């Protein structure tokens, strides 16, 4: 059902379309004898209507901070079970099991907003039925239906009945702080701590240049240690972020961000420690080589006989590890190595 036909089916009064707007997508209002008006707006994506937003205006709740009521799912229950999420419980078994409450407002005030059984029953009917999420506050009560749901007028009618019931039954405490007041009270110190820690791991992953090891095995081993470091980081991350209704969401996003940097930072730290803490002797060996590439900062050579079981091993050696002047086409070069504190042999220098 297109948006214009929805307005006709529900008996809506079309509002004036914006200048240059399409009349078939003009919002409309639904009036009821004694019930509140419902304003309906199209949800557009690339010019096509993909849904509709139903809003009941509450002028007395214009300064009320947003309260989101949505269907509680397995992730929400899991977040509460592991101690990350903390959600308001109203003591109504049906509501507490079906509806997940998210808001920056104090729990005691949110509980007063939903104190009436009729408000909680309407919220349960909405999230279990046509709408998976309802938003209260900021002057309105809103819910959304997808284009597929709009195809059935009965779905919209069921949503309207519950939405009007919720808007009528919800309370607006006089001492409810405004959204601006909550923003001013919001603690942001932990955000700076997390951002600083992430920047440190990014810096280590990008800027740290440990000496080169002589095989791929140590690289993968060091990357495994970096993965363990990421798991270690998750513990304080969870402690910092826990205690809010949306803690699991922010923990997941933060963990994903650290996953992009921490394993590689840990890998480079392990390779750096392998060389920095090495107390083993230097060993010089001359081996046949084939020059692959040379630049002002790097020389790439294939070394024959460096690893057991491999014909040649390609090394990309920074020029600060090259001692002396290499010939244009060397047949052999002297490699100075040390055993490594973690048992990973690494290259000290390359000589002609």
């Amino acid at each position: 059902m297109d948006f214009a036909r929805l307005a006709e089916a529900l008996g809506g009064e079309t509002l004036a379309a914006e200048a240059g707007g399409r009349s078939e997508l003009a919002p409309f209002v639904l009036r009821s004898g004694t019930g509140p008006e419902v304003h309906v707006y199209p949800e557009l994506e690339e010019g096509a209507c993909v849904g509709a937003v139903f809003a009941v205006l509450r002028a007395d709740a214009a300064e009320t901070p947003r309260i989101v009521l949505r269907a509680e799912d397995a992730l929400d229950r899991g977040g509460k079970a592991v101690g990350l999420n903390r959600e308001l419980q109203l003591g109504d078994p049906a509501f507490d099991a079906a509806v997940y409450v998210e808001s920056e407002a104090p729990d005691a005030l949110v509980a007063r907003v939903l104190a009436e059984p009729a408000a909680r029953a309407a919220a349960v009917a909405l999230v279990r039925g046509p709408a998976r999420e309802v938003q209260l506050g900021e002057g309105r009560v809103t819910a959304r239906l997808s284009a597929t749901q709009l195809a059935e007028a009965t779905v919209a009618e069921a949503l309207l009945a519950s939405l009007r019931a919720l808007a009528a039954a919800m309370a607006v405490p006089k001492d409810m702080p405004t959204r601006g007041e909550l923003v001013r009270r919001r603690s942001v110190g932990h955000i700076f701590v997390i951002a600083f820690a992430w920047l440190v791991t990014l810096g280590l992953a990008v800027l740290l240049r440990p000496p080169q090891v002589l095989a791929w095995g140590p690289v993968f081993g060091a990357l495994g240690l970096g993965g363990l470091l990421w798991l270690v980081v998750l513990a304080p991350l969870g402690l910092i972020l826990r205690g809010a209704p949306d803690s699991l969401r922010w923990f997941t996003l933060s963990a994903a961000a650290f996953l992009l940097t921490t394993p590689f930072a840990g890998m480079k730290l392990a390779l750096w420690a392998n060389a920095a803490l090495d107390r083993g002797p230097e060993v010089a060996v001359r081996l046949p080589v084939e020059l692959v590439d040379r630049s002002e900062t790097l020389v790439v050579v294939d070394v024959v006989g460096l690893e057991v079981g491999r014909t040649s091993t390609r090394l990309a050696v920074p020029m600060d590890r090259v001692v002396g002047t290499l010939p244009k086409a060397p047949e052999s070069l002297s490699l100075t190595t040390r055993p490594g504190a973690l048992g990973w042999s690494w290259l000290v220098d390359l000589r002609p």
Side-chain angles (χ1 to χ4, degrees):
M1 181 183 297
D2 60 37
F3 194 73
R5 289 179 59 193
L6 175 68
E8 182 181 350
L10 296 177
E13 178 183 325
T14 303
L15 302 175
E18 296 182 2
R22 294 158 54 186
S23 59
E24 70 273 16
L25 295 176
F28 60 89
V29 62
L30 302 171
R31 306 185 192 277
S32 177
T34 58
E37 295 180 352
V38 180
H39 292 245
V40 186
Y41 305 92
E43 184 179 22
L44 303 179
E45 188 174 296
E46 296 183 355
C49 181
V50 296
V53 177
F54 295 74
V56 181
L57 302 185
R58 282 286 303 259
D60 58 341
E63 295 298 324
T64 301
R66 186 174 61 173
I67 301 171
V68 177
L69 309 177
R70 56 179 177 80
E72 184 168 310
D73 57 25
L75 285 178
D76 297 322
R77 291 187 287 272
K80 290 190 288 186
V82 299
L84 271 176
N85 285 9
R86 182 194 58 78
E87 185 218 3
L88 170 67
Q89 299 293 292
L90 298 180
D92 182 335
F95 180 90
D96 291 337
V99 182
Y100 195 82
V101 182
E102 289 188 19
S103 179
E104 294 183 341
D107 286 353
L109 294 179
V110 176
R112 286 163 58 187
V113 171
L114 300 168
E116 288 295 327
R120 298 195 299 272
V124 171
L126 284 166
V127 302
R128 281 185 171 172
R132 299 291 294 174
E133 180 178 297
V134 184
Q135 295 188 13
L136 317 179
E138 299 180 339
R140 62 184 62 197
V141 179
T142 61
R144 176 190 177 276
L145 289 181
S146 66
T148 304
Q149 292 172 305
L150 294 178
E152 295 290 339
T154 54
V155 175
E157 291 167 356
L159 179 136
L160 286 169
S162 296
L163 198 64
R164 282 185 168 126
L166 176 58
M170 65 175 277
V172 181
K174 299 301 181 184
D175 52 348
M176 176 74 81
T178 65
R179 183 173 179 82
E181 290 171 340
L182 289 175
V183 169
R184 288 191 292 271
R185 297 179 194 173
R186 186 184 300 161
S187 173
V188 296
H190 65 287
I191 297 176
F192 289 104
V193 171
I194 293 173
F196 176 76
W198 186 81
L199 288 173
V200 169
T201 61
L202 177 64
L204 290 173
V206 173
L207 302 177
L208 189 61
R209 291 287 185 266
Q212 185 171 16
V213 289
L214 304 182
W216 279 106
V219 175
F220 293 126
L223 186 59
L225 292 177
L228 290 177
L229 178 62
W230 175 70
L231 293 176
V232 170
V233 167
L234 295 185
L237 196 61
L239 291 175
I240 291 173
L241 293 174
R242 69 176 180 173
D246 56 354
S247 290
L248 181 60
R249 179 190 312 146
W250 289 111
F251 175 78
T252 302
L253 291 173
S254 300
F258 276 95
L259 183 60
L260 298 175
T261 59
T262 309
F264 303 102
M267 175 188 72
K268 290 192 173 183
L269 278 173
L271 294 175
W272 174 84
N274 177 67
L277 303 178
D278 188 5
R279 297 294 180 266
E282 292 187 355
V283 176
V285 58
R286 177 167 291 278
L287 294 172
V289 301
E290 179 181 347
L291 183 65
V292 177
D293 192 19
R294 188 202 310 247
S295 68
E296 293 182 357
T297 58
L298 200 68
V299 59
V300 182
V301 293
D302 284 336
V303 183
V304 178
L306 182 62
E307 293 182 79
V308 178
R310 294 192 61 178
T311 304
S312 65
T313 302
R314 178 160 295 183
L315 298 180
V317 184
M319 290 305 295
D320 60 0
R321 296 273 170 184
V322 176
V323 178
T325 303
L326 299 182
K328 290 185 177 181
E331 295 184 356
S332 66
L333 293 173
S334 176
L335 284 75
T336 305
T337 65
R338 295 180 70 175
L342 300 178
W344 301 333
S345 296
W346 57 281
L347 181 68
V348 176
D349 58 47
L350 186 68
R351 300 169 184 260

